[in-house]
Amino acid sequence: MDSFYLSLLVFSPLLGIILLAFMPKGNEKGLKMLGVLATLPATVLALVAYFSYLGGTSLDSFSEQARWIQFGSFGAMDPNLFTVRYELGIDGFALLMIVLTSILATLAAIASFHIKKEWKGYFMLFLLLEIGMLGVFTAQNLILFFIFFEITLIPMFFLIGKWGYFDKEKAAYSFLIYNGLGSAILLIVIMVLFAKTGTTNIEALKILVNSPEQVLTPISDSLKMGLFIALLIAFGVKLPIFPLHSWMLRVHVEAPPSIVMLHSGILLKIGAFGLIRFGMGIFPEEFQELSVLIAVLGVVNLLYGAFLAFIQTDFKMVLAYSSISHMGIVLIGLGAYNEAGVQGAIFQVVSHGLISALLFFLVSVMYERLQTTHIANLGGLAKGMPLASGFLLAGAMASLGLPGMSGFVSEFMAFLGLFREMPVLAAVGTLGIIMTAVYLLRAVLAITYGKSDREYAGITDIRSFEWAPVLVLIGLIILIGVYPAVLSQPLETIVQGIGG
Amino acid sequence: MENAWLIPLFPLLSFLALLLFGKRLKEASAYVGILLTLASLVFSVIVLVGRLTGATYKLEADWLQIGDLQLTVGFEVNQLNALMLVIVSLVSFLVHTYSKGYMHGDQRFPVFYAYLGLFTFAMLGLVLSPNLLQTYIFWELVGVGSFLLIGFYFNKESAKAAAKKAFIMTRIGDVGLFIGMILLFWQTGSFEYDEIFASVHAGEVSGTMITLTAILIFIGAVGKSGQFPLHTWLPDAMEGPTPVSALIHAATMVAAGVYLVATMFPLFAASETAMSTVAIVGAVTAIFAATIGLTQTDIKRVLAYSTVSQLGYMMLALGAAGYAAGVFHLMTHAFFKALLFLAAGSVIHAVHTQDIEKMGGLWKKLSFTAPLFLIGTLAISGVPLFSGFFSKDEILIAAWANGNYILFWLAVIAAFFTAFYMFRLFFMVFSGKARSEMKNVHESPVSMTGPMIVLGILAVVSGYVNTPWFGTFLGDWLVEGNEALGHGHIEGPAWIMIVATVVSLAGIYLAYLMYSKRSISRDWFTSRAPTLYSIVVNKYFIDEIYQTTIVYATKAISLFLRFIEMFLVNGLVQLVTGIVRGLGKTGAKLQNGQIQTYGTVAFLGLAVLLLIFALTGGYLNG
């Protein structure tokens, strides 16, 4: 069935970009309002899609395609050969990612009220970034995926480089170099697959790559393994996997917090999305063969991030290393390669997206008032900003996997999965559960509890527009923690049967 | 019983309501909390009465689907948790009432009541859980309630440190429980208690695995119940307001570890190693904490160490197959220890200090608190006819009957110490003359003395539900219909009761001689063994040992990883950027503006393409 639903959803921010182009540069209020409004159509459409899915609509009914590019003249042999169509579609995982992306985009747009300059350019880039992110999750073939993937890079580069903090240019360049190299590797994989099979459609590849008799040119096992490892590296940069992570630390610290909400909340997750959809989907055997390695990398990420987060002096750095650590849980779940593990990994993708968005929003709130995120300069904040401090503590609790909040469900399932396959490695990994509590409480209590060295008189607590992101995010975090079926239901068909 | 699930929801409602409207309600928040916990109490009593005559009730609903696995949540009412429901909701209700007077005038009065509601919700939810996963969920939530209340005076550095320590030390234990729970799940295919026990009973789980999972789960209990070596957080937790110490760190949450072992008893009972581990840890903790209790001078810390010690007794009982004895002591202890803490709070409320060196002569000034404190002291010391006497006696008999003679004598010595340090505390606070100037010492308001009187009555009479003289009703009822729990009452030699009475009275008499009559000098012992004294008064330097080993090791690992980050990872970054920059420069050099160069490159490129075409052309056509 053909519909334009997904296209409408993905490109709806474009309307905002066009309208913004006609707005005067100095109209701060108007630009900000329009920026937020422009993200709403996608959010509404994504939520409608989610609820109509729960109501029984098949996800296939959302898929659409159109002829686009044809290479060579193979039409006589097979009209699909070497053809790249414009095709969008979603499965349960992609549906969740679209809902998450659109909601976080709206909230990050609200958080962008803290941006101090050049709102016009900012919001235009912001909306372009949103198009890229939404496209990545809906693309049904690798070429289209790659194009959307690249679309996210460019606005990010400028958003970091122009609206960031002191070392913003350096951060922007290291972002571009690492992600550019990641894309290059990804492109090589895509091209090899295209040349060998004549298609880049993901569903077709899932079948073709694993059934040698149907392919134009047979793909040897060693080439398959090579391609999978290349994919692992390409998406490993994004996730990021140790030791490919240093670029994302800079981005976390230097980019404006509203952008970090999206970066940490969504962009890092493209790595996980790619690993699951392409890595696991197209190369299931290779994935299973390397599952021990992936699980080990997960535990390394988990512990490495946690130990380094423990000695950071800037709260943003604590959160940056915390992201590395939490992405370790994703890898742990994937490495387990069974139903519980993979479902845990996907849960962690969504859960961490919400939690880190919440924490970075609070960073934005704090920085706006106090002009610092250095732990040593803070302390006793609960006296001046009891609400913000309370939410910060709640965010930390969610992050350290407190039951009743989303982080626990994902962590629990990832470990449940790994304990079945590699109990000893999993036991080592549980050290991370303790360390997470240690570094988060160290940082958050140092900020909110204790004596205050500075006066908080005249500092306002959470105010007006700031309530929206805080309440929505906390609400979703608790909803998933208490009633995980909101996520597990769309994932049923994806997870079923993995690992046998 | 079908409505038992409502019991935890009342305090949850209190938490949410006070979070939203606390600021407007101000001190009227207390009524919200008191009324809603009263509702929990009433329902709990109804449930207990229902369970006394009815059967176990269990109800579950789907919670989380993982592929083909279906995890559930629900609630169950059996003997043990019907009893626990009443204990928890009663103590919580009394503490809610008491706090109205104790916390009067505090700026964050509504927040305090909100946290109490959160904690009570979690504790009642824990008690009702029919499976291990749900138990774990609430197990963590009670930890958060405790953390928030310990750190209630958040701008005090010591409160902040204590809250953090409590959270982390218990989490270390929790990870044990987490691992044990998951391993058990893959062994038995279920988190449900009944299914786990059925699987264990049917011999589907290997002996090694039973021992391993039981001990891992016990590590969780060690953390929560402040057992050696994870006990250090509990005395520090006294930084919280005193009603909190009574509720969380005496009567309910710290008993959750004992409750967990009791709930999982059929698993533990299937492994001799696990049972003796529990018994040994319990006995060692009992005597170890008791010795520290001898030397402390902070009224709440003395009580804290006595709590650690008494929890050790309960563990000893369970480890010695005395299921009923352990649960019985859990109940009596909840009452007399809550009483002692509330009475201590009343003393602190009156004199504004916690240092017993500065107190003295309060007997006449606090005409309600003092006798109530005495009742609690008599009960914990095991003086005949008080509740603690009967429950401690059951434990000693269980230890003896189980053949753990060494542990039995350790427990007897600990009983002597207990009587001694508790009466040392009593005499130093209430007898003699005041050792510092105390102005305006006055008795607490009725909202505070009322709950103390209720607990005082229970501290006396609650032992009579289970006595060798009039019948062991509680014990028999607790094990009814479940052989795995052993006997409700274990027969033991009669001399044990005499020994227990003698050591208890001897302890009291010695304390009387040293601290009231003063016929023995106070430093009689300390002057003779100063080294030993300094070790004990410094709590065996456990905190310092942790500081110099684990804490430093963590920092060392972190610094080592930072070294890796700086040199290896950043080295990689330099390499990557270097290559990119190099390529960029080469590329830039090519852009030299000379048409000839461009032409050459274009030509070369074309040649390469043609070459490729020529080489692969045959293939493409074929």
Side-chain angles (χ1 to χ4, degrees), chain B residues 359-363 426-435 515-516:
Chain B
M359 298 180 192
L362 292 172
W363 178 263
F426 178 78
F427 289 130
M428 283 184 77
V429 174
F430 293 104
S431 76
K433 282 188 199 125
R435 283 179 296 278
Y515 295 98
S516 186

Side-chain angles (χ1 to χ4, degrees), chain B residues 561-584:
Chain B
L561 290 179
R562 179 151 78 184
F563 178 80
I564 289 187
E565 177 92 351
M566 280 167 81
F567 293 96
L568 282 178
V569 177
N570 283 348
L572 186 74
V573 177
Q574 299 299 329
L575 187 72
V576 169
T577 44
I579 292 171
V580 171
R581 192 169 293 163
L583 282 174

Side-chain angles (χ1 to χ4, degrees), chain A residues 246 304 321 343 400 416 450 482, chain B residues 63 65 154 171 186 565 573:
Chain A
S246 52
Y304 185 84
Y321 279 108
Q343 183 160 328
L400 63 79
L416 186 67
V482 174
Chain B
W63 183 59
Q65 174 111 29
F154 66 86
R171 199 169 177 92
W186 289 122
E565 177 92 351
V573 177

Side-chain angles (χ1 to χ4, degrees), chain A residues 313-334:
Chain A
T313 53
D314 182 350
F315 187 53
K316 287 194 282 190
M317 277 302 254
V318 174
L319 294 181
Y321 279 108
S322 161
S323 280
I324 295 177
S325 183
H326 279 100
M327 289 303 100
I329 304 254
V330 173
L331 290 170
I332 282 176
L334 294 181

Side-chain angles (χ1 to χ4, degrees), chain A residues 361-374:
Chain A
F361 179 70
L362 291 168
V363 163
S364 179
V365 168
M366 263 162 45
Y367 191 86
E368 211 237 352
R369 291 157 173 77
L370 308 166
Q371 280 76 47
T372 181
T373 50
H374 275 272

Side-chain angles (χ1 to χ4, degrees), chain A residues 418-447:
Chain A
L418 193 63
F419 263 106
R420 186 180 189 182
E421 315 296 333
M422 307 160 215
V424 176
L425 182 64
V428 175
T430 54
L431 184 59
I433 298 180
I434 300 172
M435 278 309 293
T436 312
V438 171
Y439 74 74
L440 275 169
L441 286 188
R442 166 190 168 262
V444 170
L445 292 190
I447 292 171

